[in-house]
């Protein structure tokens, strides 16, 4: 209490409060004045409400302000202080969260539709610089981080042009993990063909590939190939060639 003429403090008091700013303005200031006038410390009354939390799917664990509570959805949680609270609900790979204001002396209903948790995938290739696609969508070149993939299986492809074989595989994204894919790209198999005399036409499975000598016939993948050489005035030559990885 201040003397408005002299500016001298006549009386003062302190008031400890823990809670929401709205409650301080509604009750804290009133109690501070009562303490100044009467000299007595009023009993601290904290207003509360209840939370009724539901989720789809049900049976999920619940956290309020990052503290796990007993029970699973649907669940009634009593004696929550009024004001804004954060709610997080999880079951398996599904999660949901939101903020809710608890009103005094009311059952505050919260319904959450849970979605698959998302995580990131770090992709590396050797050599680097390969284009990355996940589930048919492009995500730059290696090394790169593909963000916000739902947990579970995803199709991944890496492509570094004609000199390397395309990589195709499936990754399993897990929550709360560092998901990493490291791929060593294989060189595209190359067939070298020569003949004597030179100038023979080269055919693989009946498709012309140019003339001998040739050291740049790129094959799509490792495997077995039927190679035939033909030249006017000479008998055809045919051979089955096995091509290994790399």
């Amino acid at each position: 209490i201040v003397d408005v003429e002299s500016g001298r403090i006549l009386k003062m008091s302190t008031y400890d409060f823990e809670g929401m700013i709205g409650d301080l303005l509604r009750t804290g200031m009133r109690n501070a004045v009562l303490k100044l006038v009467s000299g007595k410390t009023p009993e601290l009354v904290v207003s509360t409400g209840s939370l009724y939390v539901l989720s789809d799917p049900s049976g999920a664990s619940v956290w309020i302000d990052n503290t796990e509570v007993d029970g699973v959805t649907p669940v009634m949680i009593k004696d929550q202080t009024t004001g804004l609270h954060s709610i997080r609900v999880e079951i398996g790979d599904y999660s949901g969260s939101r903020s809710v204001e608890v009103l005094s002396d009311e059952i505050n209903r919260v319904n959450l539709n849970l979605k698959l948790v998302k995580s990131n995938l770090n992709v590396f290739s050797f050599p680097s610089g390969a284009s990355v696609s996940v589930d048919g969508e492009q995500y730059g070149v290696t090394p790169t981080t593909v963000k916000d993939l739902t947990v579970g299986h995803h199709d991944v492809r890496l492509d570094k042009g004609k000199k390397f074989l395309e990589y195709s595989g499936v990754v399993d994204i897990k929550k709360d993990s560092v998901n990493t894919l490291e791929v060593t790209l294989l060189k595209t198999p190359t067939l070298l063909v020569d003949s004597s005399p030179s100038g023979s036409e080269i055919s693989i499975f009946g498709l012309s590939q140019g003339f001998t000598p040739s050291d740049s016939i790129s094959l799509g993948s490792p495997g077995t190939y039927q190679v035939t050489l033909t030249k006017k005035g000479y008998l055809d030559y045919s051979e089955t060639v096995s091509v290994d990885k790399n």
Side-chain angles (χ1 to χ4, degrees):
I1 298 177
V2 179
D3 187 324
V4 295
E5 292 185 355
S6 65
R8 186 168 60 91
I9 297 175
L10 302 177
K11 199 172 185 181
M12 65 180 295
S13 70
T14 59
Y15 179 76
D16 294 329
F17 179 82
E18 182 177 343
M20 304 300 295
I21 186 65
D23 290 335
L24 174 62
L25 296 176
R26 283 192 295 268
T27 62
M29 299 301 292
R30 177 177 60 85
N31 291 339
V33 171
L34 289 175
K35 183 178 179 181
L36 280 171
V37 173
S38 66
K40 298 180 180 180
T41 302
E43 181 181 355
L44 179 63
V45 178
V46 179
S47 58
T48 63
S50 298
L51 282 169
Y52 183 54
V53 184
L54 305 96
S55 68
D56 183 17
S58 60
S61 300
V62 180
W63 285 259
I64 297 179
D65 300 327
N66 294 320
T67 299
E68 188 172 7
V69 300
D70 293 333
V72 295
T73 58
V75 61
M76 178 73 76
I77 307 164
K78 298 180 180 180
D79 299 327
Q80 297 299 302
T81 57
T82 56
L84 202 63
H85 295 270
S86 64
I87 297 178
R88 176 166 53 93
V89 178
E90 289 187 6
I91 178 173
D93 290 333
Y94 288 83
S95 177
S97 63
R98 60 173 290 188
S99 295
V100 62
E101 184 174 5
V102 174
L103 302 179
S104 177
D105 300 322
E106 290 188 19
I107 297 175
N108 302 269
R109 182 186 177 99
V110 183
N111 197 349
L112 290 168
N113 291 317
L114 308 186
K115 297 181 179 180
L116 278 171
V117 177
K118 294 183 178 180
S119 191
N120 297 340
L121 173 64
N122 300 314
V123 186
F124 302 88
S125 71
F126 306 94
S128 60
S131 63
V132 179
S133 71
V134 179
D135 298 330
E137 185 174 349
Q138 295 294 322
Y139 286 94
V141 298
T142 56
T144 188
T145 299
V146 182
K147 297 183 178 181
D148 296 331
L149 293 176
T150 56
V151 296
H153 294 92
H154 296 268
D155 295 322
V156 179
R157 292 181 181 272
L158 304 183
D159 188 356
K160 193 172 167 58
K162 294 182 179 181
K163 292 185 178 181
F164 293 88
L165 295 176
E166 181 185 73
Y167 168 83
S168 178
V170 177
V171 295
D172 185 14
I173 300 299
K174 299 183 181 299
K175 71 174 184 179
D176 301 327
S177 298
V178 179
N179 300 283
T180 300
L181 175 65
E182 297 182 350
V183 176
T184 299
L185 298 173
L186 300 176
K187 292 181 179 179
T188 301
T190 301
L191 187 63
L192 287 72
V193 184
D194 201 356
S195 68
S196 179
S198 61
S200 299
E201 185 176 12
I202 308 167
S203 297
I204 298 180
F205 294 132
L207 298 176
S208 179
Q209 303 291 329
F211 296 86
T212 60
S214 176
D215 60 359
S216 59
I217 301 176
S218 295
L219 305 175
S221 62
T224 301
Y225 293 83
Q226 186 69 33
V227 181
T228 301
L229 302 183
T230 58
K231 185 175 178 65
K232 188 176 181 180
Y234 293 85
L235 295 176
D236 293 351
Y237 175 83
S238 186
E239 183 177 330
T240 299
V241 179
S242 294
V243 181
D244 296 329
K245 291 182 179 181
N246 237 14

